[in-house]
Amino acid sequence: MTRLPVAERRRMLVVAAARVMARDGIAETTTRAITAEAGMPRGSFHYCFRSKDELLRELITEVVGDMVQAAREVWATDRPIEENLKAGLRAIWQMATERPDEQLVTYELTTYALRDPSTVELARWQYESYNQQATDYLMFVAEQAQADWTLPMPTLARLLVTVVDGLCLNWLPDRNSEIARDVLDTFAAHLATLFIRTAVVHR
């Protein structure tokens, strides 16, 4: 362990924290439990992170960032906007449903943080991060499509977060992926109507 780069140790601790939270719940996810799960000495935690809060922020960023990257990667220039949006949302959905335990942890983290005034800022930051990731994806779509959105970006980003986040929560109890994909496709079709084509100037 002593020769592992700090970035690799941080990654291992984030993965270990996700496993502990999914298995034992957030209240039981202590730094001792995290390092034990990662097979590291307890002191290595504070060598990599200043606090558990910092680790949780990195976990949230990784979970959502991976989804946005997956949506970007499926964009195809020879496909209509609506089909690209469907493909992107389905890519996000696949990432979420492949890791249901992590999804459950994100909801537990929100409610846990909101119950304590000392941690409520973490929940606020969590959804600010979601909205920023949604903004980045929607700006990417507009750039690729050479079009402008007809709604203000803060409204549109929150709409996207609300649909995906709510749909994931709705899916966790019954795991009805067929209906969930229908909802995503319907939402993608709606998003595709919220564009104004940008005139392309030819020189």
Side-chain angles (χ1 to χ4, degrees):
M1 283 296 174
T2 56
R3 297 209 175 263
L4 282 176
V6 173
E8 180 61 22
R9 293 189 194 190
R10 285 171 65 95
R11 173 60 183 159
M12 291 173 67
L13 288 168
V14 167
V15 171
R19 286 199 299 262
V20 174
M21 284 188 282
R23 183 184 67 233
D24 303 331
I26 292 176
E28 300 301 320
T29 305
T30 61
T31 57
R32 183 191 297 274
I34 293 169
T35 51
E37 184 72 21
M40 296 182 185
R42 188 181 179 190
S44 62
F45 183 93
H46 292 290
Y47 179 73
C48 298
F49 292 99
R50 288 171 292 183
S51 64
K52 191 169 79 170
D53 181 87
E54 183 183 1
L55 179 146
L56 293 175
R57 288 174 184 246
E58 185 157 324
L59 170 62
I60 292 165
T61 300
E62 284 199 12
V63 169
V64 182
D66 288 347
M67 293 181 186
V68 172
Q69 183 59 31
R72 288 170 177 258
E73 289 175 354
V74 296
W75 186 277
T77 56
D78 60 346
R79 203 161 47 193
I81 292 176
E82 180 178 334
E83 295 306 312
N84 271 311
L85 286 168
K86 286 181 180 179
L89 291 178
R90 285 194 173 213
I92 290 172
W93 180 253
Q94 182 174 349
M95 292 286 291
T97 55
E98 283 178 348
R99 301 181 294 189
D101 288 346
E102 286 189 14
Q103 284 303 305
L104 180 58
V105 163
T106 63
Y107 297 118
E108 291 176 336
L109 180 58
T110 304
T111 56
Y112 179 80
L114 286 173
R115 289 181 182 277
D116 186 340
S118 68
T119 58
V120 69
E121 179 56 32
L122 178 61
R124 186 178 297 115
W125 177 88
Q126 180 182 2
Y127 275 83
E128 286 175 355
S129 177
Y130 290 175
N131 289 330
Q132 184 57 57
Q133 294 283 359
T135 297
D136 291 346
Y137 174 63
L138 292 166
M139 290 178 66
F140 164 80
V141 170
E143 180 181 352
Q144 295 297 314
Q146 296 184 322
D148 291 327
W149 293 103
T150 59
L151 292 178
M153 186 55 70
T155 301
L156 197 61
R158 184 164 291 213
L159 175 62
L160 176 56
V161 170
T162 299
V163 170
V164 174
D165 193 49
L167 188 61
C168 286
L169 181 59
N170 189 268
W171 173 83
L172 282 169
D174 65 16
R175 308 296 171 99
N176 193 326
S177 296
E178 183 178 354
I179 291 178
R181 284 191 292 267
D182 286 344
V183 172
L184 287 176
D185 289 350
T186 301
F187 180 57
H190 175 63
L191 278 181
T193 69
L194 301 178
F195 272 114
I196 297 176
R197 281 289 183 183
T198 302
V200 178
V201 178
H202 297 284
R203 298 186 179 183

